[in-house]
Amino acid sequence: MSAPRWRVSVDRALCVGSGQCAGAAPAAFRLDGARRAHPVAEETDPSAAVLDAAEGCPVEAVLVRELGTGRAVFPPDEPDA
């Protein structure tokens, strides 16, 4: 059984336009004219480059979730206190 596909999004209110996501995964992210990141496609196969891009975002604006389950891939859900 293959890994579930991912839904990738960018919180544009948080994005500061550093471009680190586009540098880490140029096939998956672009910067627009306002220097805000957006995914090239909302849905993607699991990818180390996409995960590196999410982890490298200085403001954690890149969100990655499993399609179907909605389980957080990055940033991970915080455990209940």
Side-chain angles (χ1 to χ4, degrees):
M1 187 168 137
S2 64
R5 288 178 55 85
W6 289 349
R7 178 174 306 279
V8 180
S9 62
V10 175
D11 184 333
R12 293 174 57 84
L14 289 177
C15 180
V16 295
S18 73
Q20 289 185 11
C21 60
F29 295 94
R30 298 278 187 269
L31 295 181
D32 63 17
R35 292 209 36 88
R36 295 295 184 259
H38 60 90
V40 171
E42 272 189 39
E43 297 179 10
T44 187
D45 289 324
S47 158
V50 170
L51 190 55
D52 287 346
E55 291 173 345
C57 178
V59 294
E60 291 189 354
V62 178
L63 310 173
V64 182
R65 296 199 170 274
E66 286 183 356
L67 274 176
T69 67
R71 184 185 74 79
V73 175
F74 192 86
D77 286 332
E78 294 296 323
D80 293 335

Coordinates of all heavy atoms in Angstrom, one line a residue:
M1 N 0.8 -1.2 0.0 CA 0.0 0.0 0.0 C 0.9 1.2 0.0 O 1.8 1.3 0.8 CB -0.9 0.0 1.2 CG -1.9 1.0 1.3 SD -3.1 0.7 2.6 CE -3.3 2.3 3.3
S2 N 0.6 2.2 -0.8 CA 1.4 3.4 -0.9 C 1.0 4.4 0.1 O -0.1 4.4 0.7 CB 1.2 4.0 -2.3 OG -0.1 4.4 -2.6
A3 N 1.9 5.3 0.4 CA 1.6 6.4 1.4 C 0.5 7.3 0.9 O 0.4 7.5 -0.4 CB 2.9 7.2 1.6
P4 N -0.3 7.9 1.8 CA -1.4 8.8 1.3 C -0.8 10.0 0.7 O 0.3 10.5 1.1 CB -2.1 9.1 2.6 CG -1.5 8.3 3.7 CD -0.3 7.7 3.2
R5 N -1.5 10.5 -0.3 CA -1.0 11.8 -0.9 C -1.2 12.9 0.1 O -1.8 12.8 1.1 CB -1.9 12.1 -2.2 CG -1.5 11.2 -3.3 CD -2.3 11.4 -4.5 NE -2.4 12.7 -5.0 CZ -1.5 13.3 -5.9 NH1 -0.4 12.6 -6.3 NH2 -1.6 14.5 -6.3
W6 N -0.5 14.0 -0.2 CA -0.5 15.2 0.7 C -1.2 16.3 0.1 O -1.2 16.5 -1.1 CB 1.0 15.6 1.0 CG 1.8 14.7 1.8 CD1 1.4 13.7 2.5 CD2 3.2 14.8 2.0 NE1 2.4 13.1 3.2 CE2 3.6 13.8 2.9 CE3 4.2 15.7 1.5 CZ2 4.9 13.6 3.3 CZ3 5.5 15.5 1.9 CH2 5.8 14.5 2.8
R7 N -1.8 17.1 1.0 CA -2.4 18.4 0.6 C -1.4 19.5 1.2 O -1.1 19.5 2.4 CB -3.8 18.6 1.2 CG -4.4 20.0 0.9 CD -5.8 20.2 1.3 NE -6.7 19.2 0.9 CZ -7.3 19.1 -0.4 NH1 -7.0 20.1 -1.2 NH2 -8.1 18.1 -0.7
V8 N -1.0 20.4 0.3 CA 0.0 21.4 0.7 C -0.6 22.7 0.6 O -1.3 23.0 -0.4 CB 1.3 21.3 -0.2 CG1 2.3 22.3 0.1 CG2 1.9 19.9 -0.2
S9 N -0.4 23.6 1.6 CA -1.0 24.9 1.5 C 0.1 25.9 2.2 O 1.0 25.4 2.9 CB -2.3 25.0 2.2 OG -2.2 24.7 3.6
V10 N -0.1 27.2 1.9 CA 0.7 28.2 2.5 C -0.2 29.2 3.2 O -1.1 29.7 2.5 CB 1.6 28.9 1.5 CG1 2.4 30.0 2.1 CG2 2.6 27.9 0.8
D11 N 0.0 29.5 4.4 CA -0.7 30.5 5.1 C -0.1 31.8 4.7 O 0.9 32.3 5.2 CB -0.6 30.3 6.6 CG -1.4 31.3 7.4 OD1 -1.7 32.4 6.9 OD2 -1.8 31.0 8.6
R12 N -0.8 32.5 3.8 CA -0.3 33.7 3.2 C -0.2 34.9 4.2 O 0.5 35.8 4.0 CB -1.1 34.1 1.9 CG -0.8 33.0 0.8 CD -1.6 33.2 -0.4 NE -1.5 34.5 -1.0 CZ -0.5 34.9 -1.9 NH1 0.4 34.0 -2.2 NH2 -0.5 36.1 -2.4
A13 N -1.0 34.8 5.3 CA -0.9 35.8 6.3 C 0.4 35.7 7.1 O 0.9 36.7 7.6 CB -2.1 35.7 7.3
L14 N 0.9 34.5 7.2 CA 2.2 34.3 7.9 C 3.4 34.4 7.0 O 4.5 34.8 7.4 CB 2.2 32.9 8.5 CG 1.3 32.6 9.7 CD1 1.5 31.1 10.1 CD2 1.7 33.5 10.8
C15 N 3.2 34.1 5.7 CA 4.4 34.0 4.7 C 5.1 35.4 4.7 O 4.4 36.4 4.5 CB 3.9 33.7 3.3 SG 5.2 33.6 2.1
V16 N 6.4 35.4 4.8 CA 7.2 36.6 4.7 C 8.0 36.7 3.4 O 8.8 37.6 3.3 CB 8.2 36.7 6.0 CG1 7.4 36.9 7.3 CG2 9.1 35.5 6.0
G17 N 7.8 35.7 2.6 CA 8.4 35.8 1.2 C 9.9 35.5 1.3 O 10.6 36.0 0.4
S18 N 10.4 34.7 2.2 CA 11.8 34.4 2.2 C 12.3 33.6 1.0 O 13.4 33.6 0.6 CB 12.2 33.6 3.5 OG 11.7 32.3 3.4
G19 N 11.4 32.8 0.4 CA 11.7 32.0 -0.7 C 12.4 30.7 -0.4 O 12.8 30.0 -1.3
Q20 N 12.5 30.4 0.9 CA 13.2 29.2 1.2 C 12.5 27.9 0.7 O 13.1 27.0 0.3 CB 13.4 29.1 2.7 CG 14.5 30.1 3.2 CD 14.8 30.0 4.7 OE1 14.4 29.0 5.3 NE2 15.6 30.9 5.2
C21 N 11.1 28.0 0.7 CA 10.4 26.9 0.2 C 10.6 26.7 -1.3 O 10.8 25.5 -1.7 CB 8.9 27.0 0.5 SG 8.1 28.5 -0.2
A22 N 10.6 27.7 -2.1 CA 10.8 27.6 -3.5 C 12.3 27.2 -3.8 O 12.5 26.5 -4.8 CB 10.5 29.0 -4.2
G23 N 13.2 27.6 -2.9 CA 14.6 27.1 -3.1 C 14.7 25.7 -2.8 O 15.5 25.0 -3.5
A24 N 14.0 25.2 -1.8 CA 14.2 23.8 -1.3 C 13.4 22.8 -2.3 O 13.8 21.7 -2.5 CB 13.7 23.6 0.1
A25 N 12.3 23.3 -2.8 CA 11.4 22.5 -3.6 C 10.9 23.3 -4.8 O 9.7 23.7 -4.8 CB 10.3 21.9 -2.8
P26 N 11.7 23.7 -5.7 CA 11.3 24.6 -6.8 C 10.2 24.0 -7.7 O 9.4 24.8 -8.3 CB 12.6 24.8 -7.6 CG 13.5 23.7 -7.3 CD 13.1 23.3 -5.9
A27 N 10.0 22.7 -7.7 CA 8.9 22.1 -8.5 C 7.6 22.2 -7.8 O 6.6 22.0 -8.4 CB 9.3 20.7 -8.9
A28 N 7.7 22.5 -6.5 CA 6.5 22.4 -5.6 C 6.0 23.8 -5.2 O 4.8 24.0 -4.9 CB 6.7 21.6 -4.4
F29 N 6.9 24.8 -5.2 CA 6.5 26.2 -4.7 C 7.0 27.3 -5.6 O 8.0 27.1 -6.2 CB 7.1 26.4 -3.3 CG 6.6 25.5 -2.2 CD1 7.3 24.3 -1.9 CD2 5.4 25.8 -1.6 CE1 6.8 23.4 -1.0 CE2 4.9 24.9 -0.6 CZ 5.6 23.7 -0.3
R30 N 6.2 28.3 -5.6 CA 6.5 29.5 -6.4 C 6.2 30.7 -5.5 O 5.4 30.7 -4.6 CB 5.7 29.6 -7.7 CG 5.8 28.5 -8.7 CD 7.0 28.8 -9.5 NE 7.1 27.8 -10.6 CZ 7.7 26.6 -10.5 NH1 8.3 26.3 -9.4 NH2 7.8 25.8 -11.6
L31 N 6.9 31.8 -5.8 CA 6.6 33.1 -5.2 C 5.8 33.9 -6.2 O 6.2 33.9 -7.4 CB 7.9 33.9 -4.8 CG 8.7 33.3 -3.7 CD1 9.9 34.2 -3.4 CD2 7.9 33.0 -2.5
D32 N 4.8 34.6 -5.8 CA 4.0 35.4 -6.7 C 4.6 36.9 -6.7 O 5.6 37.1 -6.1 CB 2.5 35.4 -6.3 CG 2.2 36.0 -4.9 OD1 3.1 36.7 -4.4 OD2 1.1 35.7 -4.4
G33 N 3.9 37.7 -7.4 CA 4.3 39.1 -7.5 C 4.4 39.9 -6.2 O 5.2 40.8 -6.1
A34 N 3.7 39.4 -5.2 CA 3.7 40.1 -3.9 C 4.8 39.4 -3.0 O 4.8 39.7 -1.8 CB 2.3 40.0 -3.2
R35 N 5.6 38.5 -3.6 CA 6.6 37.7 -2.9 C 6.0 36.9 -1.8 O 6.6 36.7 -0.7 CB 7.7 38.6 -2.4 CG 8.5 39.2 -3.5 CD 10.0 39.5 -3.2 NE 10.7 38.6 -2.3 CZ 11.4 37.5 -2.7 NH1 11.4 37.2 -4.0 NH2 12.1 36.8 -1.9
R36 N 4.8 36.3 -2.1 CA 4.2 35.3 -1.1 C 4.2 34.0 -1.8 O 4.0 33.9 -3.0 CB 2.8 35.7 -0.8 CG 2.7 37.0 0.0 CD 3.3 36.9 1.3 NE 3.2 38.1 2.1 CZ 4.1 39.0 2.3 NH1 5.2 38.9 1.7 NH2 3.9 40.1 3.0
A37 N 4.5 33.0 -1.1 CA 4.6 31.6 -1.6 C 3.3 31.0 -1.8 O 2.3 31.4 -1.2 CB 5.4 30.7 -0.7
H38 N 3.2 30.1 -2.8 CA 2.0 29.3 -3.0 C 2.5 27.9 -3.6 O 3.5 27.9 -4.3 CB 1.0 30.0 -3.9 CG 1.5 30.3 -5.2 ND1 1.4 29.4 -6.3 CD2 2.1 31.4 -5.7 CE1 1.9 30.0 -7.4 NE2 2.4 31.2 -7.1
P39 N 1.8 26.9 -3.3 CA 2.1 25.6 -3.9 C 1.8 25.6 -5.4 O 0.8 26.2 -5.8 CB 1.3 24.6 -3.1 CG 0.1 25.4 -2.6 CD 0.6 26.8 -2.4
V40 N 2.6 24.9 -6.2 CA 2.3 24.7 -7.6 C 1.1 23.9 -7.7 O 0.2 24.2 -8.6 CB 3.5 24.1 -8.3 CG1 3.2 23.7 -9.7 CG2 4.7 25.0 -8.2
A41 N 0.9 22.9 -6.9 CA -0.3 22.0 -6.9 C -0.7 21.8 -5.4 O 0.2 21.6 -4.6 CB 0.0 20.7 -7.6
E42 N -2.0 21.8 -5.2 CA -2.5 21.6 -3.8 C -2.3 20.2 -3.3 O -2.1 19.9 -2.1 CB -4.0 21.9 -3.7 CG -4.3 23.3 -3.4 CD -5.8 23.5 -3.1 OE1 -6.4 22.6 -2.4 OE2 -6.3 24.5 -3.5
E43 N -2.3 19.2 -4.3 CA -2.1 17.8 -3.9 C -0.8 17.3 -4.5 O -0.5 17.6 -5.7 CB -3.3 17.0 -4.4 CG -4.6 17.4 -3.7 CD -5.8 16.6 -4.3 OE1 -5.6 15.6 -5.0 OE2 -6.9 17.0 -3.9
T44 N -0.1 16.5 -3.8 CA 1.2 15.9 -4.2 C 1.4 14.6 -3.6 O 0.9 14.3 -2.5 CB 2.3 16.9 -4.0 OG1 3.5 16.5 -4.6 CG2 2.6 17.1 -2.5
D45 N 2.3 13.8 -4.2 CA 2.8 12.6 -3.6 C 3.7 13.0 -2.5 O 4.4 14.1 -2.6 CB 3.5 11.8 -4.6 CG 2.6 11.1 -5.6 OD1 1.4 10.8 -5.2 OD2 3.0 11.0 -6.8
P46 N 3.9 12.2 -1.5 CA 4.8 12.5 -0.4 C 6.2 12.7 -1.0 O 6.6 12.0 -1.9 CB 4.8 11.2 0.5 CG 3.4 10.7 0.3 CD 3.1 11.0 -1.2
S47 N 6.9 13.7 -0.5 CA 8.2 14.1 -1.1 C 9.1 14.7 0.0 O 8.7 15.5 0.8 CB 7.9 15.2 -2.1 OG 9.1 16.0 -2.4
A48 N 10.3 14.2 0.0 CA 11.3 14.8 1.0 C 11.6 16.2 0.7 O 11.7 17.0 1.7 CB 12.6 14.0 0.9
A49 N 11.5 16.7 -0.5 CA 11.8 18.1 -0.9 C 10.6 19.0 -0.3 O 10.9 20.0 0.2 CB 11.9 18.3 -2.4
V50 N 9.4 18.5 -0.4 CA 8.3 19.3 0.1 C 8.4 19.4 1.6 O 8.2 20.4 2.2 CB 6.9 18.7 -0.3 CG1 5.8 19.3 0.4 CG2 6.7 18.9 -1.8
L51 N 8.7 18.3 2.3 CA 8.9 18.3 3.7 C 10.0 19.1 4.1 O 9.9 19.9 5.1 CB 9.1 16.8 4.2 CG 9.0 16.6 5.7 CD1 7.7 17.2 6.3 CD2 9.2 15.2 6.1
D52 N 11.1 19.1 3.4 CA 12.3 20.0 3.7 C 11.8 21.5 3.6 O 12.2 22.3 4.4 CB 13.4 19.7 2.8 CG 14.2 18.4 3.1 OD1 14.0 17.9 4.2 OD2 15.0 18.0 2.2
A53 N 11.1 21.8 2.5 CA 10.6 23.1 2.3 C 9.7 23.6 3.5 O 9.9 24.7 4.0 CB 9.8 23.2 1.0
A54 N 8.8 22.7 4.0 CA 7.9 23.1 5.1 C 8.8 23.3 6.3 O 8.6 24.3 7.1 CB 6.9 22.0 5.3
E55 N 9.7 22.4 6.6 CA 10.5 22.5 7.8 C 11.4 23.7 7.8 O 11.8 24.2 8.8 CB 11.3 21.2 8.0 CG 10.4 20.0 8.4 CD 11.2 18.7 8.4 OE1 12.3 18.6 7.9 OE2 10.6 17.7 8.9
G56 N 11.8 24.1 6.6 CA 12.7 25.2 6.5 C 12.1 26.6 6.5 O 12.8 27.6 6.5
C57 N 10.8 26.6 6.4 CA 10.1 27.9 6.4 C 10.3 28.6 7.8 O 10.0 28.0 8.8 CB 8.6 27.7 6.2 SG 7.7 29.3 6.3
P58 N 10.9 29.8 7.8 CA 11.2 30.5 9.0 C 10.0 30.8 9.9 O 10.2 31.1 11.1 CB 12.0 31.7 8.6 CG 11.5 32.0 7.2 CD 11.2 30.6 6.6
V59 N 8.8 30.9 9.3 CA 7.6 31.2 10.1 C 6.6 30.1 10.1 O 5.4 30.3 10.5 CB 7.0 32.6 9.5 CG1 7.9 33.7 9.8 CG2 6.6 32.5 8.1
E60 N 7.0 28.9 9.6 CA 6.1 27.8 9.6 C 4.8 28.1 8.8 O 3.7 27.7 9.3 CB 5.8 27.2 11.0 CG 7.0 26.5 11.6 CD 6.7 25.7 12.9 OE1 5.5 25.8 13.4 OE2 7.6 25.1 13.4
A61 N 4.9 28.7 7.7 CA 3.7 29.1 6.9 C 3.3 27.9 6.0 O 2.2 28.0 5.5 CB 4.0 30.3 6.1
V62 N 4.2 27.0 5.7 CA 3.9 25.9 4.9 C 3.2 24.7 5.7 O 3.8 24.3 6.7 CB 5.1 25.3 4.1 CG1 4.8 24.1 3.3 CG2 5.8 26.4 3.3
L63 N 2.0 24.3 5.3 CA 1.3 23.3 6.0 C 1.1 22.1 5.1 O 0.8 22.2 3.9 CB -0.1 23.8 6.3 CG -0.2 25.2 7.0 CD1 -1.6 25.7 7.2 CD2 0.5 25.1 8.4
V64 N 1.4 20.9 5.6 CA 1.3 19.7 4.9 C 0.4 18.7 5.7 O 0.7 18.5 6.9 CB 2.7 19.1 4.6 CG1 2.6 17.8 3.8 CG2 3.6 20.0 4.0
R65 N -0.6 18.2 5.0 CA -1.6 17.3 5.7 C -1.8 16.1 4.7 O -1.7 16.2 3.5 CB -2.9 18.0 6.0 CG -2.7 19.1 7.0 CD -4.1 19.4 7.6 NE -3.9 20.3 8.8 CZ -3.7 19.9 10.0 NH1 -3.5 18.7 10.3 NH2 -3.5 20.8 11.0
E66 N -2.1 15.0 5.3 CA -2.5 13.8 4.5 C -3.9 14.0 3.9 O -4.8 14.5 4.7 CB -2.5 12.5 5.4 CG -1.2 12.0 5.8 CD -1.3 10.7 6.6 OE1 -2.4 10.2 6.9 OE2 -0.2 10.2 6.9
L67 N -4.0 13.7 2.7 CA -5.3 13.8 2.0 C -6.2 12.7 2.7 O -5.7 11.6 3.1 CB -5.2 13.5 0.6 CG -4.9 14.7 -0.3 CD1 -4.8 14.2 -1.8 CD2 -6.0 15.7 -0.3
G68 N -7.5 13.0 2.8 CA -8.4 12.0 3.4 C -8.5 12.0 4.9 O -9.5 12.3 5.4
T69 N -7.3 11.9 5.6 CA -7.4 11.8 7.0 C -7.2 13.2 7.6 O -7.7 13.5 8.7 CB -6.3 11.0 7.6 OG1 -5.0 11.6 7.3 CG2 -6.3 9.5 7.1
G70 N -6.5 14.1 6.9 CA -6.3 15.4 7.4 C -5.2 15.5 8.5 O -4.9 16.5 9.1
R71 N -4.5 14.3 8.7 CA -3.5 14.2 9.7 C -2.3 15.1 9.3 O -1.9 15.2 8.2 CB -2.9 12.8 9.8 CG -1.9 12.6 10.9 CD -1.3 11.2 10.9 NE -0.4 11.0 9.8 CZ 0.9 11.4 9.8 NH1 1.4 12.1 10.8 NH2 1.7 11.1 8.8
A72 N -1.8 15.9 10.3 CA -0.8 16.8 10.1 C 0.5 16.1 9.8 O 0.9 15.2 10.6 CB -0.6 17.8 11.3
V73 N 1.2 16.4 8.7 CA 2.5 15.9 8.4 C 3.5 17.0 9.0 O 4.5 16.7 9.6 CB 2.7 15.7 6.9 CG1 4.2 15.3 6.6 CG2 1.8 14.6 6.5
F74 N 3.3 18.3 8.6 CA 4.1 19.4 9.1 C 3.2 20.6 9.1 O 2.5 20.9 8.1 CB 5.3 19.6 8.3 CG 6.2 20.6 9.0 CD1 7.1 20.1 10.0 CD2 6.2 21.9 8.8 CE1 7.9 21.0 10.7 CE2 6.9 22.8 9.5 CZ 7.8 22.4 10.4
P75 N 3.3 21.5 10.1 CA 3.9 21.2 11.4 C 3.1 20.1 12.1 O 1.8 20.0 11.9 CB 3.8 22.5 12.2 CG 2.7 23.3 11.5 CD 2.7 22.8 10.1
P76 N 3.7 19.3 12.9 CA 3.0 18.2 13.6 C 2.0 18.8 14.6 O 2.2 19.9 15.2 CB 4.1 17.4 14.3 CG 5.3 18.4 14.4 CD 5.1 19.3 13.3
D77 N 0.9 18.1 14.8 CA -0.1 18.5 15.8 C 0.5 18.4 17.1 O 1.3 17.5 17.4 CB -1.3 17.6 15.7 CG -2.2 17.9 14.5 OD1 -2.2 19.0 14.0 OD2 -2.9 16.9 14.1
E78 N 0.3 19.4 17.9 CA 0.8 19.4 19.3 C 0.0 18.4 20.1 O -1.2 18.4 20.0 CB 0.7 20.8 19.9 CG 1.5 21.8 19.3 CD 3.0 21.6 19.4 OE1 3.5 21.1 20.5 OE2 3.8 21.8 18.4
P79 N 0.6 17.6 20.9 CA -0.1 16.7 21.8 C -0.9 17.5 22.8 O -0.5 18.6 23.2 CB 1.0 15.8 22.5 CG 2.3 16.6 22.3 CD 2.1 17.5 21.1
D80 N -2.0 16.9 23.2 CA -2.8 17.6 24.3 C -2.0 17.6 25.6 O -1.3 16.7 25.9 CB -4.1 16.8 24.5 CG -5.0 16.9 23.3 OD1 -4.9 17.9 22.5 OD2 -5.9 16.0 23.1
A81 N -2.2 18.7 26.3 CA -1.4 18.9 27.5 C -2.0 18.1 28.6 O -3.0 17.6 28.6 CB -1.5 20.4 27.9

